[in-house]
Amino acid sequence: QVQLVESGGGLVQAGGSLRLSCVASGRTPSTYVMGWFRRTPGKEREFVIAISWSGRSTYYADSLKGRFTISRDNAKNTVYLQMSSLKPEDTAVYYCAASYSCSDYDCAISERNYNTWGQGTQVTVSS
């Protein structure tokens, strides 16, 4: 069983930056795509960004490209979400997730293709 634990959330002013981390533990598969999703009150969870096992492929939500980046350190079983130029509308609970089967964009952007989820971390951007 794989467990994912996010950290790094908090309160930040608009225009600021924040880096979230997600650590995987347990019986991790040999390769897996890692993604970040977010949910704001009253809305469905939405795709943010994902990265392949090798790190050579990254998948972005078009609306966030340029402000959010993702990276991973497989030796540490950790994926990072770097968020910059934050806006109040980025306020949400951010979840990391692992997919054991995805290998392309269309797969990575859909939450139903993810097998394991973290508990989420709150990010609040004040205006």
Side-chain angles (χ1 to χ4, degrees), residues 2 7 28 32-33 36 42 77 84 108 114:
V2 177
S7 63
T28 56
Y32 51 99
V33 165
W36 288 94
N77 288 328
S84 61
Y114 287 79

Side-chain angles (χ1 to χ4, degrees), residues 4-126:
L4 301 176
V5 178
E6 304 98 332
S7 63
L11 175 64
V12 63
Q13 287 189 330
S17 299
L18 206 59
R19 188 177 81 159
L20 306 182
S21 300
C22 175
V23 179
S25 61
R27 301 182 67 179
T28 56
S30 56
T31 62
Y32 51 99
V33 165
M34 290 296 297
W36 288 94
F37 291 75
R38 67 184 184 184
R39 175 180 280 152
T40 55
K43 293 186 178 181
E44 293 185 355
R45 190 158 50 189
E46 65 172 342
F47 172 74
V48 174
I49 198 168
I51 187 168
S52 64
W53 169 257
S54 67
R56 287 193 290 268
S57 296
T58 53
Y59 314 105
Y60 293 83
D62 288 341
S63 61
L64 300 174
K65 200 168 185 178
R67 296 195 298 121
F68 288 18
T69 58
I70 189 171
S71 61
R72 66 190 297 167
D73 183 340
N74 290 334
K76 297 181 179 179
N77 288 328
T78 302
V79 64
Y80 304 98
L81 173 62
Q82 179 68 47
M83 305 182 290
S84 61
S85 301
L86 283 163
K87 305 174 182 180
E89 50 264 42
D90 294 319
T91 295
V93 177
Y94 285 74
Y95 300 89
C96 69
S99 171
Y100 310 151
S101 60
C102 279
S103 61
D104 59 30
Y105 176 82
D106 288 339
C107 180
I109 65 173
S110 176
E111 64 175 288
R112 68 176 183 268
N113 295 321
Y114 287 79
N115 307 90
T116 303
W117 292 81
Q119 81 289 349
T121 185
Q122 176 71 46
V123 172
T124 302
V125 184
S126 63

